[in-house]
Amino acid sequence: MTVEPAEKLLAPVLSAFWDDPRSWTLETYRRHDGYQALSKAFAMAPDDVIAYVKDSGLRGRGGAGFPTGMKWQFIPQGDGKPHYLVVNADESEPGTCKDIPLLFANPHSLIEGMIIACYAIRSHHAFIYLRGETVPVLRRLHEAVREAYAAGYLGTNIQGSGFDLELTVHAGAGAYICGEETALLDSLEGRRGQPRLRPPFPAVEGLYACPTVVNNVESIASVPAILQRGKDWFKSMGSEKSPGFTLYSLSGHVARPGQYEGPLGITLRQLLDMGGGMRPGHRLKFWTPGGSSTPMFTDEHLDVPLDYEGVGAAGSMLGTKALQCFDETTCVVRAVTRWTEFYAHESCGKCTPCREGTYWLVQLLRDIEAGKGHISDLDKLNDIADNINGKSFCALGDGAAAPIFSSLKYFREEYEEHIERKGCPFDPARSTAWADKYRTEAHA
Amino acid sequence: MTDVSLGIPQMPAPDYPADVRARLESDAREVIARYPGSRSALLPLLHLVQSEDGHVTRTGIRFCAEMLGLTTAEVTAVSTFYTMYRRKPSGDYQVGVCTNTLCAVMGGDAIFDELKQHLGVGNDETTEDGKVTLEHIECNAACDFAPVVMVNWEFFDNQTPESARQLVDDLIAGREVRPTRGAPLCTYKETARILAGFPDTREGAVEASGGAGPASLAGLRLHRGEAPARVVGQRAESPTDTGDASVEDGE
């Protein structure tokens, strides 16, 4: 057992200079070795860059954990078609809040990663699909791209390499489903964001039916550090199957919510130790390891290693490492009802199980929360969730089913209590961020 | 909106006045040129017509259709899919309270109730003076700053019912309002133009509110052995504390 304080586990890489007063500028990025990995990449053959990233073991940070280098390798070469890189910056999964602060504070790490990725997959036009509801980030991306063009990192014959790249920043318009990669591509083509049937996969027929890589912001932004410091350095962190560093986002009833960057495999107990624990006088009740679409955990799971295998073995998914922590004041029925309302609102309507199923889940949950439910509704919830899960084109429906299954597994008595007492036993005022402040004042 | 639908197809929408049309066409051509396929410009063009009209009008839909060689039905189908395209006239300031689970539990529901009562409007309704449109929004990727309120898609972090009430009072009174993360507020129409892909040209807009927000730095500060950051910053504190962050650059 280590006796070192938990914060020694942290390893800021992407966040290493976010406290610089002008962290988002090209000047600051260069001062921290920015754009040096690009020169290394240009000195390599494109296929070698792909192999290097594949060897590093970098896995997608958007939720699914697919090996990034393998995605690049799937792009057919010498096919005579244009290739595209599309960065998924549509971060909208409830609880997920890593890419937006990353892009706000350090947009050039993404741009450098994109140039390297495009060189590797032989793409000459790349896109950043940013969710539209984050204008401060859009502003800094516009500025970072302008700076990168002015400095010769984008455009024609980049840094004398002979490689050309155009980069377009594209703002979405409010639709969670566009974080799903094929819906994102339809949206980027100017259509309603609805998922496509696969195959063909985007690597074969993606944007404009051409070979396309869709990667998450954090995945691509991690590439320059891997090239700059080496794959062995990267693999020295995390585990064999889940190597490297990542951003953990701690939120909810914790003493110090925020971004904690460290090696994969940290546990929530360690993160809470360094984050000052739960808010004073309260205990952890339930939490999500990677956003609302990942089955919830309880205080039994504090020592689960937060990597792809560890979380999977414990019955959930690492997802986006969005650790939403709720304390004992929180009504789990209320939390799940609200998430389910979200999925019903965001279901694109293409597949019947998801469109109709999420609607009926909401009706049942609202009744239960309001004390108008029946005990038989609990099996019905499970049954409907089962009829959504795995039965639609994309994972939105699976995500909607996850909070239902997992909350019924761990908190079935709480649902029953709502039904038996004909109402919610919780006071929402006690869950608010200011609840204890007022209580203390009132008692003073 | 008091239109009575009699089931009779509407006449084609009127076009923009010639000078407006010429200006928008020039902008639209610039947007279209960014994409290998012209239809990809549709989402930005819908933002562009919102920057002209404040919402997506039938005239705006006709304009997008004509610029891209689509039917108005095709454009309407897209514009109604996305929540950021408004379908009716709305206020200069869109105040969105996050009521997804985490923010709701942390106080977003209480803030939303407070604002509904204080402003006397419901969800997606506008105050009589046309200043503020209130709505509840979904998770906006700022959970470590919960509860979050967005005004014209700038971040107002760590809100309370009191701070949110002060915020809308300031907006209605025309006082300058600065977000915790983002630039001094511009109007909804001006925001829509940035979303269409035209950079914010206001002096200091990009650097306003400094580098990362306090919660974003929680792990970094611990790693450095520094004291944890003060958690709550409900608004940028004064007009002089943002935009000049460069003078503190000591390293």
Side-chain angles (χ1 to χ4, degrees), chain A residues 373-417:
Chain A
H374 303 278
I375 288 292
S376 60
D377 290 345
L378 301 186
D379 288 340
K380 203 179 288 173
L381 279 177
N382 235 331
D383 195 38
I384 295 173
D386 194 43
N387 276 294
I388 300 172
N389 193 31
K391 296 180 179 67
S392 298
F393 274 48
C394 83
L396 189 146
D398 306 352
I404 306 280
F405 288 143
S406 55
S407 64
L408 280 169
K409 180 175 169 192
Y410 297 117
F411 298 101
R412 195 179 176 101
E413 320 77 66
E414 200 165 305
Y415 282 92
E416 290 169 356
E417 197 183 350

Side-chain angles (χ1 to χ4, degrees), chain B:
Chain B
M1 298 289 276
T2 52
D3 292 348
V4 176
S5 173
L6 300 174
I8 300 166
Q10 288 178 298
M11 296 297 286
D15 199 355
Y16 286 113
D19 58 327
V20 176
R21 169 95 189 191
R23 175 165 49 77
L24 289 177
E25 269 191 24
S26 158
D27 285 342
R29 274 194 288 271
E30 192 182 325
V31 172
I32 293 167
R34 296 182 195 136
Y35 299 93
S38 65
R39 185 167 174 162
S40 286
L42 180 51
L43 267 62
L45 289 192
L46 285 164
H47 286 305
L48 180 69
V49 298
Q50 287 211 121
S51 78
E52 187 64 30
D53 300 321
H55 70 290
V56 176
T57 62
R58 294 177 64 234
T59 298
I61 286 173
R62 173 182 162 178
F63 172 79
C64 292
E66 288 175 1
M67 291 307 296
L68 299 175
L70 301 170
T71 66
T72 52
E74 286 171 312
V75 175
T76 304
V78 172
S79 76
T80 53
F81 184 84
Y82 297 93
T83 52
M84 288 176 75
Y85 301 129
R86 295 164 152 185
R87 297 165 73 174
K88 60 186 182 190
S90 304
D92 290 340
Y93 299 102
Q94 178 167 309
V95 175
V97 182
C98 179
T99 58
N100 201 298
T101 299
L102 191 123
C103 273
V105 165
M106 300 293 290
D109 278 356
I111 292 170
F112 190 53
D113 288 345
E114 175 77 22
L115 291 185
K116 276 194 285 195
Q117 188 149 40
H118 185 63
L119 296 172
V121 298
N123 182 45
D124 199 21
E125 290 177 6
T126 304
T127 53
E128 274 180 22
D129 60 7
K131 290 273 183 149
V132 170
T133 299
L134 180 67
E135 64 170 5
H136 75 83
I137 59 169
E138 298 299 353
C139 185
N140 222 67
C143 313
D144 44 350
F145 295 93
V148 169
V149 171
M150 306 295 294
V151 182
N152 290 351
W153 307 117
E154 313 277 349
F155 289 99
F156 291 77
D157 300 322
N158 300 113
Q159 293 296 296
T160 64
E162 295 75 33
S163 68
R165 202 171 52 218
Q166 182 67 47
L167 169 62
V168 295
D169 284 348
D170 287 348
L171 291 172
I172 287 169
R175 289 189 279 269
E176 191 192 54
V177 167
R178 287 171 173 252
T180 36
R181 286 179 296 148
L185 287 186
C186 49
T187 64
Y188 184 85
K189 288 184 184 179
E190 289 161 339
T191 303
R193 188 170 171 81
I194 305 171
L195 286 162
F198 295 95
D200 193 339
T201 52
R202 290 177 299 157
E203 184 84 28
V206 173
E207 46 267 37
S209 77
S216 308
L217 299 175
L220 180 62
R221 292 233 151 99
L222 272 176
H223 178 74
R224 296 241 168 97
E226 297 170 13
R230 199 168 53 86
V231 174
V232 179
Q234 294 173 346
R235 290 265 286 279
E237 279 158 15
S238 76
T240 53
D241 75 336
T242 55
D244 293 314
S246 59
V247 296
E248 297 167 28
D249 190 351
E251 284 186 40

Side-chain angles (χ1 to χ4, degrees), chain A residues 64 97 134 159 191 330 388:
Chain A
C97 51
T134 54
Q159 304 292 298
R191 300 169 192 279
T330 314
I388 300 172

Side-chain angles (χ1 to χ4, degrees), chain A residues 84-367:
Chain A
Y84 297 107
L85 171 70
V86 179
V87 167
N88 184 346
D90 194 54
E91 182 165 74
S92 309
E93 165 79 8
T96 305
C97 51
K98 64 189 180 69
D99 296 334
I100 292 304
L102 166 58
L103 292 174
F104 189 62
N106 183 7
H108 281 285
S109 61
L110 175 69
I111 295 173
E112 185 180 13
M114 288 176 74
I115 305 165
I116 294 168
C118 286
Y119 173 74
I121 66 167
R122 280 139 279 191
S123 162
H124 301 289
H125 200 151
F127 299 85
I128 303 171
Y129 187 106
L130 176 73
R131 69 178 299 186
E133 301 98 323
T134 54
V135 171
V137 172
L138 180 60
R139 230 180 241 117
R140 289 200 177 161
L141 276 176
H142 281 156
E143 173 63 10
V145 168
R146 187 198 64 75
E147 282 188 310
Y149 269 106
Y153 294 122
L154 291 170
T156 51
N157 190 22
I158 295 168
Q159 304 292 298
S161 65
F163 180 67
D164 305 337
L165 179 63
E166 298 297 325
L167 198 163
T168 302
V169 178
H170 182 90
Y176 167 65
I177 189 64
C178 293
E180 195 283 331
E181 65 175 9
T182 60
L184 186 153
L185 293 174
D186 260 34
S187 179
L188 185 51
E189 289 181 3
R191 300 169 192 279
R192 296 161 76 92
Q194 295 190 314
R196 301 174 178 175
L197 187 62
R198 284 159 292 191
F201 287 91
V204 179
E205 287 185 31
L207 189 62
Y208 313 121
C210 291
T212 302
V213 167
V214 184
N215 276 148
N216 169 260
V217 170
E218 190 190 346
S219 315
I220 291 288
S222 299
V223 167
I226 293 171
L227 259 72
Q228 178 66 11
R229 303 199 206 176
K231 61 187 179 189
D232 293 330
W233 162 80
F234 188 73
K235 286 197 280 196
S236 73
M237 291 178 276
S239 66
E240 190 192 337
K241 287 184 174 170
S242 297
F245 59 88
T246 196
L247 285 162
Y248 291 101
S249 310
L250 206 53
S251 65
H253 292 128
V254 295
R256 279 200 292 279
Q259 306 300 317
Y260 294 80
E261 194 175 14
L264 279 162
I266 287 184
T267 66
L268 182 61
R269 188 187 301 281
Q270 290 168 326
L271 284 164
L272 284 176
D273 276 355
M274 57 182 108
M278 298 298 286
R279 57 180 182 166
H282 295 277
R283 60 179 176 76
L284 178 66
K285 179 177 175 183
F286 63 97
W287 56 290
T288 66
S292 57
S293 301
T294 59
M296 66 172 65
F297 278 161
T298 68
D299 58 359
E300 292 167 35
H301 303 94
L302 276 165
D303 296 309
V304 171
L306 295 172
D307 59 21
Y308 300 98
E309 289 70 34
V311 180
S316 187
M317 291 177 295
L318 183 63
T320 53
K321 305 143 296 147
L323 310 163
Q324 308 175 87
C325 301
F326 298 92
D327 71 17
E328 83 292 344
T329 65
T330 314
C331 172
V332 83
V333 177
R334 177 187 179 205
V336 172
T337 303
R338 197 58 63 90
W339 278 325
T340 307
E341 287 170 343
F342 167 78
Y343 291 111
H345 180 254
E346 301 295 335
S347 173
C348 78
K350 183 165 183 162
C351 308
T352 307
C354 173
R355 182 185 67 238
E356 302 299 318
T358 53
Y359 170 85
W360 286 109
L361 289 176
V362 168
Q363 308 311 312
L364 287 166
L365 284 164
R366 282 182 180 164
D367 273 357

